[in-house]
Amino acid sequence: MRSSGEYKVALTINNEERRITVSSSESLLNMIRTKFGLTGAKPGCLNGDCGACTVMVDQDPIKSCMMLAVEAEGKCITTIEGLSHDPIQEAFIDHFAFQCGYCTPGFIMNIRAMLLNHPDADPCIIKEWLGSNICRCTGYKEIEEAVKSVLGNSVG
C-alpha cells in the first residue's frame, strides 16, 4: 500500500512475521537496523563491495545496503541474530576466524547461504563465495579453515 512515498510491507524476519511501514527509498539494511534493532548487519561501504551488511533473503545472500526495504515484501529475511548457536559461528570462534569482528556477521551469513546451496563445496567454490566479502584486519586462512570444518555437516 502506498501513502505519500511510504509503503506497508509484510515480511518474515528471523522466523517472525512482521508488518512495517517504510519509505520508498529506505534500504533493507536501514530497516533491519533502525526499525527492528537488529544491528548485526553492518554498514560498511554502502555500495555493495564489502559484504558487511550481508543477510539472507529467501536463503540467498544479499547485501542489504543494495536492496530496498519495499523489495522485502513477502520475503523471508535471516540476519545474524537469527543464527544463534549456528555451527558456522562456533567454527569461526574455534578457528579464530575474526579480529575486530565488524565483517564477521556478513561472512557468516554468506557462508551459511553457501552451505545451503553447496553443502560439499570444494576449495574453488569456497574461494568464490568468500570473494564477495572483505576483511581489512586479518587474512582469509582462518576463515577458510572455519568453513572447511563445517563442510558436510548438517547445517540445514
Side-chain angles (χ1 to χ4, degrees):
M1 267 182 223
R2 186 172 178 200
S3 168
S4 66
E6 293 192 339
Y7 294 82
K8 292 188 181 196
V9 176
L11 60 118
T12 302
I13 190 158
N14 296 331
N15 296 316
E16 185 179 331
E17 291 184 25
R18 305 293 295 260
R19 294 187 184 280
I20 193 159
T21 301
V22 297
S23 74
S24 59
S25 63
E26 186 170 7
S27 70
L28 179 62
L29 174 63
N30 188 66
M31 179 192 72
I32 289 167
R33 291 179 59 82
T34 63
K35 303 254 171 58
F36 295 116
L38 301 170
T39 58
K42 304 291 188 224
C45 64
L46 297 177
N47 65 8
D49 288 335
C50 75
C53 66
T54 302
V55 298
M56 286 192 317
V57 178
D58 294 337
Q59 299 192 342
D60 290 322
I62 299 293
K63 294 175 182 178
S64 61
C65 72
M66 298 298 293
M67 182 176 177
L68 293 174
V70 295
E71 294 177 292
E73 171 67 33
K75 305 286 186 187
C76 293
I77 312 296
T78 305
T79 69
I80 192 70
E81 291 88 351
L83 293 185
S84 63
H85 307 295
D86 189 279
I88 300 156
Q89 289 178 324
E90 301 298 326
F92 265 64
I93 293 166
D94 293 344
H95 293 273
F96 303 102
F98 57 91
Q99 250 182 15
C100 83
Y102 198 83
C103 66
T104 304
F107 269 106
I108 290 172
M109 296 307 301
N110 197 48
I111 295 307
R112 178 69 159 101
M114 182 199 78
L115 291 170
L116 289 170
N117 289 287
H118 303 281
D120 296 315
D122 63 29
C124 290
I125 291 173
I126 294 169
K127 196 171 276 300
E128 178 184 339
W129 281 68
L130 288 178
S132 69
N133 292 67
I134 296 172
C135 176
R136 292 178 175 99
C137 295
T138 191
Y140 292 80
K141 182 177 186 260
E142 294 85 358
I143 296 171
E144 287 180 20
E145 289 173 3
V147 173
K148 290 174 184 175
S149 76
V150 295
L151 282 174
N153 296 338
S154 174
V155 293

